[in-house]
Amino acid sequence: VARPRVLLLDEPSSGLDASTSHRIVETVLLGAASEQCTAFATIHQPRWSTLRLFDMLVLLAPGGFLTYAGPVAGVKAYFMALPGVCFPKDQNPADIIIDATTFDSARTMIVDGVWRSPPQCLRAVLVPTPDMDDEERQEPWQVREFGRVLAALWQTFARERTRLAGDNEKGR
């Protein structure tokens, strides 16, 4: 296979420091683009500049629920708009997005006041009630429901975006 049309990269940055990881991903993606080859990659905990090397992002929550699928350039705006996630200037936006889609991290963000205005549907799943004991604080149903709620928010957003795009086309 001299000139593949599709390149699948399974954690090409695994075990590398952030700088080396960025250079390798950048080199591979530039090579793929010059050969008109589509590249798919799984990347864990990328720095923001590495994530922005990609055109599109598919983000999954616990349970494999789709929580975002679209341009990398739009992911930050989506998380600020619908789930209401804040992006402090001194933190990696990719880390914030990953935290917001990971049950334990999202719960900590809400309880600590970092995620100030999550939708009520997420708050209901993530915020422990005072009478919960430690074993009840992370039941499997809560993790699954968290993934389902994030997926439902994304589906609602995607449907509305499609509807609005259709309305704009009709108005022209």
Side-chain angles (χ1 to χ4, degrees):
V1 181
R3 292 182 178 244
R5 292 279 134 228
V6 176
L7 182 60
L8 302 173
L9 305 165
D10 185 19
E11 299 183 38
S13 59
S14 185
L16 303 175
D17 63 85
S19 180
T20 304
S21 171
H22 180 84
R23 285 195 313 271
I24 286 175
V25 169
E26 183 177 43
T27 301
V28 169
L29 292 179
L30 287 172
S34 71
E35 294 294 322
Q36 297 179 346
C37 176
T38 300
F40 293 90
T42 55
I43 304 285
H44 294 278
Q45 295 182 302
R47 65 165 56 162
W48 184 238
S49 59
T50 302
L51 186 60
R52 290 191 341 221
L53 293 171
F54 294 91
D55 298 320
M56 302 294 284
L57 173 67
V58 173
L59 187 60
L60 303 175
F65 293 100
L66 180 66
T67 59
Y68 181 83
V72 171
V75 69
K76 198 171 158 185
Y78 166 73
F79 273 88
M80 288 182 345
L82 197 59
V85 175
C86 299
F87 289 87
K89 291 190 185 298
D90 62 340
Q91 292 186 25
N92 177 0
D95 286 343
I96 302 295
I97 292 165
I98 290 167
D99 284 348
T101 58
T102 305
F103 183 81
D104 288 329
S105 297
R107 174 178 275 173
T108 300
M109 289 170 70
I110 289 174
V111 170
D112 291 350
V114 175
W115 190 350
R116 291 192 176 94
S117 58
Q120 186 58 38
C121 53
L122 283 176
R123 185 175 285 284
V125 175
L126 289 170
V127 177
T129 58
D131 57 339
M132 277 186 172
D133 61 29
D134 287 340
E135 291 177 12
E136 292 177 309
R137 289 183 182 270
Q138 185 178 343
E139 292 290 325
W141 73 265
Q142 289 174 303
V143 176
R144 280 191 311 275
E145 195 61 26
F146 172 68
R148 283 190 187 113
V149 169
L150 284 174
L153 286 171
W154 168 249
Q155 290 168 356
T156 301
F157 175 81
R159 275 194 306 272
E160 187 63 16
R161 183 179 61 182
T162 301
R163 186 187 68 75
L164 289 173
D167 289 350
N168 288 340
E169 288 296 316
K170 289 176 189 175
R172 290 183 185 183

